[in-house]
Every structure is written in structure tokens, then in C-alpha cells.
Amino acid sequence: QVQLVESGGGLVQAGGSLRLSCAASGSIFSIYSMAWYRQAPGKQRELVAQVTSTGSTYYADSVKGRFTISMDNAKNTAYLQMNSLKPEDTTVYCCYSILRREQLETPRSYWGKGTLVTVSS
């Protein structure tokens, strides 16, 4: 059983910072990528940032220059450092990962339950 558990969400004033963590636990052979998605009410789900096991990263235009994603392979944990937060960043952030539980298994995707980020103006 693989679980993704997010932490680090909360309430912050505009211009402030938060650091989200996503820890993958359970029987894990290898992680291909970890990512953060968000979906505000009435909007489509958005891929915020992604990092691969080799260190390649992707950022949505809306967060470039403000957010930084990283991954600690030894801890199976991804981080999202969010700086210069804006009220429009307010929503639930969910962790997503593609990984294998065993060497010969086809990679599968997993979701966390999410952590709420609220940015006040």
C-alpha cells in the first residue's frame, strides 16, 4: 500500500511563504516523478510543478519565479517552496506521483488527499 501524505499548508498573508511537503510511504521500489496540482473552485485542475527523479523540473507560468519544487530521493519526499504568495494561490494543493512498488511492476500513479493553502490579502 502506497500513501502520499501532504503537509505544510496553512494561512499566510500575501507576499508570504509556505513550504509544502509530500512524503511517499509504503513499499516503493522507485519514484519516476512527483508533482503538485491545485484546483480552485470553478477552475480546471492545474499542474503547478513537477520534478523527476533525475532532477528535471516543470512549472506552470503562473508560479514561475515564485515556487520551487525539489525532491529528496532518499526520503521519497517532494517539497514545494512557495514564495511571494498571492490571494489567487489560495486552494487545495494535491501531491501526485508516478512510481513502481516492485522492480518488474508497471509504473502507477498515486494521489495524496491534499493540503489547504490560504493566502489573505
Side-chain angles (χ1 to χ4, degrees), residues 93-105:
Y93 287 70
C94 291
C95 182
Y96 173 83
S97 180
I98 298 176
L99 58 87
R100 286 193 291 176
R101 295 176 302 171
E102 300 173 358
Q103 184 174 5
L104 298 181
E105 182 187 61

Side-chain angles (χ1 to χ4, degrees), residues 19-93:
R19 188 194 194 207
L20 305 184
S21 298
C22 172
S25 63
S27 178
I28 297 171
F29 176 78
S30 63
I31 295 178
Y32 284 85
S33 65
M34 298 188 80
W36 291 93
Y37 282 80
R38 66 186 182 186
Q39 185 169 14
K43 294 187 177 182
Q44 285 191 328
R45 184 170 61 192
E46 176 186 24
L47 172 59
V48 176
Q50 176 178 283
V51 60
T52 69
S53 59
T54 59
S56 297
T57 57
Y58 163 87
Y59 296 96
D61 288 341
S62 57
V63 306
K64 279 181 182 176
R66 300 189 297 124
F67 291 8
T68 302
I69 190 169
S70 60
M71 183 164 67
D72 185 330
N73 292 321
K75 296 182 178 180
N76 291 335
T77 299
Y79 305 95
L80 185 67
Q81 178 66 44
M82 304 187 296
N83 299 329
S84 302
L85 282 162
K86 304 175 181 180
E88 52 263 44
D89 293 320
T90 295
T91 189
V92 174
Y93 287 70

